[in-house]
Amino acid sequence: MIAYLLRRILYAIPILIGVNLLTFALFFVVNTPDDMARMHLGMKRVTPQAISNWKAEHGYDAPLFYDASAPGINKITHTIFFEKSARMFVLDFGTSDDGRDIWHEIKTRAGPSLAIAVPVFIIGLLVNITFALLMVFFRATYLDFWGVVLCVVLMSISGLFYIIAGQYLIAKLWHLVPISGFNGGIDGLRFILLPVVVSIVAGIGGGARWYRTIFLEEIGKDYVRTARAKGLSEWRVLFRHVLQNGMIPILTGAVVVLPLLFMGSLITESFFGIPGLGSYTIDAIQSQDFAIVRAMVFIGSALYIIGLLLTDISYTLADPRVRLQ
Amino acid sequence: MNFLRLFGLLILPVLLSACGSGPLNDPYPAADRDSNILYSSFEERPKHLDPARSYASNEAEFTAQIYEPPLQYHYLKRPYTLIPLTAAQMPTVTYYDASGRPLPATAPVSAIAESVYEIHIRPGIYYQPHPAFARDAQGRLRYQDMKPGDWHGIQTLGDFRHSGTRELVAADYVYEIKRLAAPQLNSPILGVMAEYIIGLKDYAARLEKAARSLPRGTYPDLQRYPLAGAEVVDRYTYRIKLRGKYPQFLYWLAMPFFAPVPPEADRFYAQPGMAERNLSLDWYPLGTGAYMLTRNNPNRQMVLERNPDFHGETYPRTGEPGDAAAGLLKDAGKPLPFIDKVVFSLEKETIPYWNKFLQGYYDASGISSDSFDQAVQINANGVAQPSEAMRAKGIRLTTAVRPTSSYMGFNMLDSTVGGSSERARKLRQAIAIAVDYEEYISIFANGRGIPAQGPIPPGIFGYVGGTAGVNPVVYRLVNGQPVRRPIAEARRLLAEAGYPDGRDAQTGAPLVLYFDTNASGPDAASRLSWMTKQFAKLNIQLVVRSTDFNRFQDKMRRGTEQIFEWGWNADYPDPENFLFLLYGPNMKVGKNGENAANYSNPEYDRLFDQMKYLDNGPERQAIIDRMVNIVRVDSPWLFGYFPKAFSLSHAWVAPSKPNVMANNTLKYRRIDPKLREKLRNQWNQPVLWPLLLLLLALIAALAPALWAWRQRERSVAR
């Protein structure tokens, strides 16, 4: 397994270079260093000299990919791409275009993102699986039928609606929690309660229906019949045998997103005033801060690769027949 | 069962909070409930708080409370009047000719080679407490030469255990003027100031050259480089030397660009280790103002607190007629500031922001389009007033015309709509009549604006109101009221321009014009559709060329646009700051100026050169009137409208007067925290029955399931 993991980690390097290259190319197709300078310097009274100074100050005065005027290896190294990208492989993200340390920002913002994402992930998974198993338990009855109808209804509603309705009902009409905001420590619970509940409810429809499909496929298999024949209660059959055997597809969807949890959620963070990484990324795109965009895309790609690796490893834990070679 | 457990877990914090006092939905700490704190919000984090760099209005909300330039605007007087802030009196200006001989104040502009502003600041003004001033027992600056080991436990400015202060001196003002030229700061006003402050352009070049010889990330010490145009006379006096005459310079002296910065601050923040912790003047400003920034977490909250070393200032004793009756002089002579702390919370979305205002968690609020109908009603006389629901809560509405011009421009370099030919002029005039800005304001701005009759907004010298100020090219007077000219008149002008019924008289081809914009989204789509319909009144086909922000800006710089929308927010309350937007030498194409329409009229330019140097008075007004008439006839702009700012404030906020030029007005604000607390409690009583109902609904839904499960289990057991 170690050899497999090492091989996968080595594969990750060209993938990350490729992603970085693609991000760089796409970003600079839309924005030029001059555009970035203007965006940062504002609209009023910007002189060409100020633009030139800004570019020099932020290292955007070199050619993008190839410097024909430079000698030797400098033709490659004296470029924006190399200077801005190479350091990221040692996790040196540098400073944003407005001079703030990116790593410091990431460390500060990861906490609030995780404060929402982790409970939503864990509780959401439990709720969805439980709901799905209950529907399977009551399959072909009115409870299953109305459960599926409820799931379809929940799936059909926009995520934004849940947020606005949740804020309106729970915070505005019933005055139970603050509408938005964030705080650290135990006081933070009352701020994250609403976004967590809203996110979980918003995810029930799709999640429960997906898991129901998986469990329904399992419930017709021979081992389930054998378990029942042994006299096991239906509860035990479902939560012990069906759940365990349905873990592979569940893990495929769930484990891969684990590392990405810290990347945050854009809409939730924005509406609830959560100072997380989702809003950090979007703000950077809007303000054309390439330093942050490339750092977040790099981290996102690296985490996704880690997620896929973790998924592979989790298969071996869920199913002893799986071997990584 | 799992659902019940989960439900219990989720509502536990709410129930625990319910045991405490005060509303459950209060987003602020319980300890602050009765405190003299003003609660506000910000939508986007300020990019810069360094006075040499900061130029945006959302930054001024902070910088203006912290930094103190020598002058400020009188809070109550109108027209806007400059008064001393840290200066002992208004600056004296002396003019000199080319050979250095002093000239009288009445000397002709052509004779003036140099203007020297001498500014005396008041002694006894101290900076806010700051670690950059902290001294050890030997009197040495404690944190000016930090070693790696000194950083233990320091992440924010508040982590420094010691702080100090020192007296404000004239050299700090001179130092800041030098900072405008520092290459690493990229001051937005370097370009304009380099034209006036003697030696500033060369100074910037010298600093840039010096910076190139230093290792990357280090910069020359400005104190070692003298600047000819700014000099210290004595501890409390300094001089600024300008090329020629520039009367508007006084207004610049009321902006944070000319606020003092102590060199200790730059040395402190330049140390290794500061940048990694995001400690910089751009993040933690240092000033002498009424407030100091004690918390800067723009991801969540920014907090201004009363500066304990503030030099003291009192509420103005005089204002305009009517101010006393409006209760605006109740605090006359009382020491400022009134509020101890101002908490700004990040609020990106308008819905939660508005709801929190209604719950009493923000003290004042603007009004978004979404909530306009809920907040405001227009009475039979067309006057805006708070709606019934707002009045029931004691919420007040204040309005003020902003010194902002929002216009539609024609690219005067364009072969169809541009140029000074009679044909093009008549085409522009026809369009000016057809585009109904009264309707635009009503539909797209909820009536928050007044149609512009020229480039100068109300409140600025040169603006003429009433019937005398009506634009005769677009309006005519009916019963003493301006009424937009009929569309038939626009069609006649269009025919005279060579496009009868919207077709080229020679070729018969339909007239197609292009509207360049970077607007996008549903709101923009309806606005652009409306715009197309306005042109269709003349049978002109308007093609909207939508693009992104960068491409649009690029088109504007290269002059390849045809018709566009643009705006300008005043730097200072002088007509020069609006009329220069149409000054030929200031055009965007080729000169990188702010004349976005690339308009050039020699007569207008000549009058501008005269008007610029005159004091406000009948002579200046007469010239401005001529200039305004020229641009009305030439119509390089559809003057559009001047937006009105609508602001709501709760009953516990003392009446205040909108001052659209001054940003340092927080010190005049007063609140009644007891009343706020009472009303917040009244408005935010928790409603717990829905939780109970939800619980019962869950039980009702699960009961048949449990019953069915038990039945099934039993049947299996049998």
Side-chain angles (χ1 to χ4, degrees):
Chain A
M1 187 162 89
I2 304 258
Y4 173 82
L5 292 179
L6 280 175
R7 200 165 62 243
R8 288 289 299 268
I9 289 167
L10 287 175
Y11 287 164
I13 293 170
I15 292 172
L16 286 174
I17 292 173
V19 167
N20 207 18
L21 190 66
L22 204 61
T23 312
F24 186 88
L26 287 175
F27 189 93
F28 282 101
V29 163
V30 180
N31 313 295
T32 64
D34 280 42
D35 295 333
M36 293 161 67
R38 283 193 190 93
M39 180 62 92
H40 284 271
L41 293 170
M43 293 278 289
K44 288 170 91 172
R45 302 182 189 276
V46 181
T47 60
Q49 184 60 43
I51 290 168
S52 168
N53 284 350
W54 188 90
K55 287 194 297 182
E57 175 71 16
H58 292 83
Y60 290 111
D61 53 346
L64 289 178
F65 288 109
Y66 185 76
D67 186 357
S69 63
I73 190 71
N74 286 352
K75 286 184 193 303
I76 302 295
T77 58
H78 185 242
T79 60
I80 297 176
F81 178 70
F82 187 85
E83 288 183 3
K84 299 284 176 191
S85 306
R87 290 186 309 177
M88 286 202 298
F89 285 87
V90 289
L91 298 183
D92 176 4
F93 299 114
T95 57
S96 61
D97 289 339
D98 61 1
R100 305 266 298 154
D101 188 73
I102 294 174
W103 186 235
H104 185 276
E105 282 284 311
I106 290 171
K107 282 190 292 183
T108 313
R109 286 169 171 265
S113 282
L114 288 172
I116 303 291
V118 170
V120 168
F121 176 75
I122 295 171
I123 301 171
L125 201 62
L126 289 175
V127 168
N128 293 349
I129 289 174
T130 308
F131 192 36
L133 284 170
L134 281 171
M135 283 192 287
V136 170
F137 182 80
F138 293 110
R139 64 195 171 280
T141 67
Y142 79 98
L143 284 168
D144 180 31
F145 174 78
W146 286 110
V148 172
V149 169
L150 180 66
C151 284
V152 172
V153 170
L154 290 173
M155 282 166 68
S156 311
I157 298 171
S158 149
L160 198 60
F161 177 83
Y162 288 106
I163 293 174
I164 293 171
Q167 285 185 329
Y168 182 78
L169 284 178
I170 298 172
K172 192 187 174 190
L173 280 190
W174 302 339
H175 307 137
L176 295 175
V177 289
I179 291 176
S180 65
F182 187 78
N183 209 352
I186 192 78
D187 186 49
L189 267 182
R190 60 202 187 96
F191 290 100
I192 63 168
L193 188 65
L194 184 56
V196 166
V197 169
V198 164
S199 303
I200 289 170
V201 172
I204 286 177
R209 249 180 73 75
W210 162 237
Y211 296 139
R212 177 181 170 275
T213 313
I214 293 168
F215 296 141
L216 277 179
E217 201 178 308
E218 289 294 320
I219 203 105
K221 291 189 175 169
D222 288 345
Y223 72 89
V224 176
R225 198 174 304 121
T226 309
R228 285 193 188 123
K230 277 165 64 185
L232 293 183
S233 70
E234 190 68 7
W235 188 260
R236 204 171 166 78
V237 170
L238 280 176
F239 281 85
R240 187 171 173 87
H241 295 280
V242 173
L243 178 59
Q244 194 175 341
N245 284 283
M247 282 307 271
I248 292 277
I250 293 175
L251 288 172
T252 306
V255 180
V256 75
V257 299
L258 261 180
L260 293 172
L261 291 181
F262 107 114
M263 299 292 285
S265 157
L266 162 68
I267 296 177
T268 308
E269 287 181 7
S270 188
F271 267 82
F272 289 103
I274 309 292
L277 286 164
S279 50
Y280 186 51
T281 311
I282 288 301
D283 289 349
I285 292 169
Q286 282 170 350
S287 63
Q288 299 181 14
D289 196 322
F290 175 65
I292 299 174
V293 173
R294 76 182 149 78
M296 294 309 292
V297 171
F298 183 87
I299 293 171
S301 317
L303 288 174
Y304 193 69
I305 291 167
I306 293 169
L308 290 173
L309 263 180
L310 287 177
T311 308
D312 286 353
I313 295 167
S314 70
Y315 288 166
T316 64
L317 300 175
D319 186 347
R321 292 169 301 178
V322 176
R323 289 282 179 275
L324 300 178
Q325 289 178 338
Chain B
M1 287 296 281
N2 279 353
F3 265 134
L4 288 176
R5 279 184 197 159
L6 175 67
F7 189 74
L9 277 172
L10 289 175
I11 64 164
L12 194 62
V14 173
L15 297 177
L16 284 174
S17 308
C19 302
S21 63
L24 294 178
N25 62 351
D26 187 346
Y28 308 117
D32 289 345
R33 278 188 185 139
D34 264 354
S35 307
N36 185 17
I37 300 174
L38 183 85
Y39 292 101
S40 187
S41 71
F42 62 102
E43 193 182 336
E44 190 184 352
R45 78 172 181 79
K47 273 185 189 164
H48 300 296
L49 298 174
D50 184 321
R53 311 181 77 173
S54 171
Y55 203 1
S57 55
N58 70 325
E59 296 159 6
E61 203 170 346
F62 297 94
T63 55
Q65 326 307 329
I66 297 163
Y67 297 112
E68 289 191 311
L71 306 179
Q72 66 177 338
Y73 291 98
H74 193 286
Y75 175 48
L76 300 173
K77 281 186 184 170
R78 302 291 181 274
Y80 292 101
T81 309
L82 286 173
I83 57 170
L85 177 54
T86 59
Q89 63 270 329
M90 290 300 284
T92 57
V93 56
T94 313
Y95 301 118
Y96 295 90
D97 66 12
S99 53
R101 281 181 304 223
L103 295 168
T106 53
V109 173
S110 56
I112 298 171
E114 196 175 304
S115 310
V116 177
Y117 286 76
E118 188 163 289
I119 301 155
H120 299 274
I121 56 164
R122 282 185 287 140
I125 296 174
Y126 282 82
Y127 283 101
Q128 67 181 70
H130 194 279
F133 297 126
R135 290 183 182 272
D136 60 17
Q138 287 76 44
R140 288 177 306 214
L141 288 168
R142 190 182 282 269
Y143 298 119
Q144 291 288 1
D145 188 21
M146 291 177 69
K147 307 285 183 299
D150 298 338
W151 284 101
H152 181 69
I154 294 176
Q155 286 302 325
T156 70
L157 205 64
D159 296 332
F160 287 91
R161 286 173 54 212
H162 302 276
S163 65
T165 183
R166 81 151 165 79
E167 192 185 20
L168 171 71
V169 293
D172 299 337
Y173 283 97
V174 171
Y175 184 74
E176 167 63 2
I177 295 169
K178 290 178 178 178
R179 292 179 85 248
L180 298 177
Q184 74 275 20
L185 294 179
N186 277 314
S187 175
I189 65 159
L190 174 62
V192 64
M193 283 302 131
E195 286 177 30
Y196 294 106
I197 297 178
I198 290 174
L200 193 65
K201 198 172 188 175
D202 294 338
Y203 190 74
R206 278 174 63 204
L207 291 179
E208 206 184 328
K209 193 176 166 194
R212 275 201 293 268
S213 62
L214 293 169
R216 198 180 175 95
T218 52
Y219 302 98
D221 178 1
L222 303 181
Q223 287 181 295
R224 292 175 52 196
Y225 292 82
L227 169 64
E231 62 179 18
V232 177
V233 178
D234 61 39
R235 186 172 171 82
Y236 302 114
T237 311
Y238 66 104
R239 284 193 196 119
I240 304 172
K241 295 178 185 170
L242 304 185
R243 195 174 293 112
K245 187 179 178 182
Y246 184 36
Q248 289 76 24
F249 185 67
L250 278 180
Y251 295 113
W252 287 102
L253 292 178
M255 293 190 201
F257 293 117
F258 288 87
V261 168
E264 294 95 320
D266 269 352
R267 283 205 295 275
F268 173 79
Y269 286 122
Q271 296 176 91
M274 290 284 177
E276 290 83 344
R277 289 166 179 81
N278 289 329
L279 298 174
S280 67
L281 193 68
D282 217 22
W283 206 247
Y284 288 104
L286 197 181
T288 58
Y291 291 98
M292 55 186 192
L293 189 68
T294 52
R295 184 173 184 205
N296 186 6
N297 180 358
N299 306 330
R300 205 167 104 204
Q301 228 169 43
M302 296 174 74
V303 177
L304 291 173
E305 285 187 65
R306 184 192 286 268
N307 172 8
D309 296 326
F310 184 51
H311 50 82
E313 196 183 340
T314 54
Y315 192 94
R317 292 174 190 277
T318 54
E320 278 188 298
D323 282 351
L328 292 166
L329 289 174
K330 264 186 189 168
D331 294 318
K334 289 184 185 167
L336 301 175
F338 295 116
I339 289 165
D340 295 335
K341 192 170 165 181
V342 189
V343 174
F344 296 87
S345 302
L346 178 66
E347 208 68 73
K348 285 189 168 185
E349 303 293 335
T350 54
I351 296 172
Y353 165 68
W354 173 246
N355 287 331
K356 278 162 96 172
F357 168 70
L358 292 182
Q359 290 178 334
Y361 296 123
Y362 288 126
D363 295 321
S365 169
I367 309 172
S368 70
S369 298
D370 298 337
S371 46
F372 188 84
D373 292 339
Q374 190 188 347
V376 176
Q377 61 188 43
I378 310 290
N379 68 14
N381 302 322
V383 177
Q385 56 188 32
S387 65
E388 281 292 326
M390 298 298 113
R391 282 205 298 271
K393 280 176 165 269
I395 292 171
R396 288 189 312 271
L397 171 72
T398 47
T399 64
V401 179
R402 284 158 43 192
T404 299
S405 176
S406 181
Y407 61 89
M408 187 195 292
F410 297 100
N411 178 9
M412 296 299 280
L413 304 177
D414 182 79
S415 57
T416 308
V417 298
S420 55
S421 68
E422 195 62 17
R423 177 188 167 105
R425 186 179 297 123
K426 285 189 171 170
L427 171 61
R428 293 193 296 267
Q429 287 177 350
I431 294 170
I433 293 169
V435 180
D436 186 346
Y437 267 97
E438 287 78 9
E439 190 178 279
Y440 181 96
I441 295 165
S442 166
I443 297 173
F444 300 105
N446 300 108
R448 286 176 286 183
I450 57 170
Q453 305 291 338
I456 303 174
I460 307 285
F461 181 83
Y463 171 80
V464 180
T467 52
V470 171
N471 177 4
V473 174
V474 178
Y475 296 88
R476 58 192 174 138
L477 289 173
V478 178
N479 299 327
Q481 294 296 318
V483 175
R484 189 168 284 273
R485 289 183 178 276
I487 200 70
E489 210 164 315
R491 289 197 185 111
R492 180 182 54 78
L493 283 167
L494 191 67
E496 286 171 14
Y499 303 102
D501 202 26
R503 287 182 175 272
D504 190 307
Q506 287 171 352
T507 64
L511 177 58
V512 181
L513 298 180
Y514 297 93
F515 185 78
D516 293 279
T517 179
N518 64 329
S520 60
D523 288 349
S526 56
R527 204 163 45 79
L528 295 170
S529 162
W530 177 87
M531 196 64 79
T532 309
K533 284 176 189 158
Q534 301 302 302
F535 281 71
K537 289 177 192 170
L538 300 175
N539 277 346
I540 297 174
Q541 294 177 25
L542 186 71
V543 176
V544 176
R545 292 192 294 207
S546 287
T547 184
D548 61 60
F549 176 82
N550 294 335
R551 299 292 83 74
F552 175 66
Q553 294 292 325
D554 192 47
K555 273 184 177 185
M556 294 297 294
R557 276 192 302 280
R558 290 189 288 116
T560 54
E561 83 288 2
Q562 193 174 61
I563 304 172
F564 60 95
E565 280 178 318
W566 207 256
W568 179 258
N569 195 19
D571 292 310
Y572 43 80
D574 191 274
E576 180 262 358
N577 198 234
F578 284 91
L579 296 175
F580 93 124
L581 300 173
L582 291 158
Y583 183 52
N586 192 32
M587 66 168 63
K588 194 164 270 299
V589 174
K591 290 169 182 160
N592 204 44
E594 300 294 346
N595 177 355
N598 304 303
Y599 175 64
S600 180
N601 179 313
E603 176 64 3
Y604 180 93
D605 293 348
R606 189 185 64 77
L607 291 169
F608 179 85
D609 287 333
Q610 279 182 38
M611 179 279 304
K612 184 178 168 184
Y613 301 110
L614 292 174
D615 292 325
N616 290 343
E619 190 189 356
R620 197 177 199 210
Q621 182 67 58
I623 293 176
I624 290 170
D625 290 346
R626 286 170 63 192
M627 294 173 73
V628 170
N629 282 334
I630 289 171
V631 289
R632 279 171 176 170
V633 172
D634 280 351
S635 295
W637 292 0
L638 272 59
F639 296 109
Y641 72 107
F642 301 122
K644 260 185 178 176
F646 277 39
S647 173
L648 296 170
S649 52
H650 280 294
W652 56 79
V653 181
S656 60
K657 188 168 182 173
N659 187 323
V660 289
M661 289 317 304
N663 292 303
N664 62 345
T665 52
L666 267 183
K667 59 189 174 188
Y668 305 109
R669 303 298 294 274
R670 189 165 51 76
I671 56 164
D672 178 351
K674 299 268 184 240
L675 177 62
R676 176 172 63 191
E677 186 54 19
K678 188 181 143 198
L679 289 175
R680 273 186 186 174
N681 281 326
Q682 198 179 310
W683 295 343
N684 295 290
Q685 285 301 308
V687 183
L688 292 168
W689 64 261
L691 284 183
L692 195 65
L693 196 67
L694 194 62
L695 195 66
L696 289 174
L698 268 175
I699 291 169
L702 288 175
L706 284 170
W707 178 80
W709 174 63
R710 285 172 69 91
Q711 289 292 102
R712 188 179 289 193
E713 287 294 293
R714 280 179 192 160
S715 69
V716 171
R718 267 195 301 243

